[in-house]
Amino acid sequence: MHSFTEENHLKAIYHLLLRAQSATTNDIAAALGTKAASVTDMLKKLADKKLINYARYQGVTLTPDGERIAVSIVRKHRLWEHFLVDKLKFKWDEVHDMAEELEHISSTELINRLDEFMGYPQFDPHGDPIPDCDGRINDQRLQSALLLAQNHSGKIAGVADHSPAFLQYLEKAQLTIGQTITITGITDYDLSVKLNNNNKEFNISREVAKNLLILV
């Protein structure tokens, strides 16, 4: 058994390592909204348990055992998000905090039955891949909508920003998972992106386009 705090640190390190070869103490602290000194203390504990590779000023990586635990937490989080949206009809901007609590349930049997009950979903409501019971991830090749060439179309398959404000904006604009958009141009004045969605023409900011992920 591992404490919630240990699991949260392992998950934060896992997400940071998807973008870099190692995670720094400051990056982990920023991801968790805590102080670097507190992170340093926890890293020492995790290193003692052989869940991370840690040397001061050299960054952090996960050991195989640490990665296995982190992937398990990610699996539980994303399965619970899928359950809350698909079965309990919560909105996709409402489920993150609830899943943060539910991801610490330790019963593997419960999680495997939840997975089976939902038909083994491969992606959560935000388009993120759900690891299977063996930790395998069927990832999608996604790119920012900013990289979609003019007059080319693509299907929205994920988001880089999971904040409720951004998800609510996308919901209102009907830019949700599964929608097909076409980039029709760039506005010279503010470099906002012109797009067509369901035969409706409108503009989105470059920041919105950057955080909108298209299946390639």
Side-chain angles (χ1 to χ4, degrees), residues 76-77 80 84 97-105 111:
K76 288 185 283 186
H77 183 101
W80 282 119
L84 291 166
D97 288 347
M98 287 181 274
E100 287 276 291
E101 297 182 35
L102 292 164
E103 71 187 23
H104 297 293
I105 293 174
I111 299 305

Side-chain angles (χ1 to χ4, degrees), residues 94-154:
E94 297 176 321
V95 296
H96 177 76
D97 288 347
M98 287 181 274
E100 287 276 291
E101 297 182 35
L102 292 164
E103 71 187 23
H104 297 293
I105 293 174
S106 61
S107 172
T108 301
E109 181 65 21
L110 171 61
I111 299 305
N112 288 342
R113 289 194 184 196
L114 180 69
D115 193 11
E116 180 183 14
F117 172 69
M118 295 189 296
Y120 305 103
Q122 292 190 334
F123 301 98
D124 76 6
H126 311 109
D128 294 317
I130 300 174
D132 68 13
C133 61
D134 295 317
R136 294 186 296 259
I137 298 176
N138 183 19
D139 214 344
Q140 301 186 98
R141 290 186 59 210
L142 304 179
Q143 69 175 25
S144 166
L146 271 182
L147 301 177
L148 198 61
Q150 186 168 328
N151 297 321
H152 281 64
S153 300

Side-chain angles (χ1 to χ4, degrees), residues 55-111:
R56 293 196 65 168
Y57 313 116
Q58 293 183 18
V60 179
T61 59
L62 294 169
T63 65
D65 282 345
E67 183 173 3
R68 177 182 54 78
I69 294 167
V71 170
S72 173
I73 299 162
V74 169
R75 166 175 162 77
K76 288 185 283 186
H77 183 101
R78 293 176 179 174
L79 280 172
W80 282 119
E81 285 196 333
H82 191 282
F83 175 77
L84 291 166
V85 171
D86 189 58
K87 302 302 181 184
L88 299 188
K89 306 306 177 186
F90 283 96
K91 294 182 178 179
W92 67 337
D93 60 281
E94 297 176 321
V95 296
H96 177 76
D97 288 347
M98 287 181 274
E100 287 276 291
E101 297 182 35
L102 292 164
E103 71 187 23
H104 297 293
I105 293 174
S106 61
S107 172
T108 301
E109 181 65 21
L110 171 61
I111 299 305

Side-chain angles (χ1 to χ4, degrees), residues 9-25:
H9 277 72
L10 291 172
K11 185 177 70 167
I13 294 166
Y14 172 81
H15 286 307
L16 289 167
L17 291 176
L18 294 177
R19 304 192 297 270
Q21 291 186 336
S22 65
T24 69
T25 301

Side-chain angles (χ1 to χ4, degrees), residues 191-204:
L191 299 179
S192 59
V193 177
K194 300 177 182 178
L195 60 79
N196 182 294
N197 177 32
N198 287 328
N199 297 317
K200 295 178 183 177
E201 296 275 353
F202 58 97
N203 283 19
I204 59 174

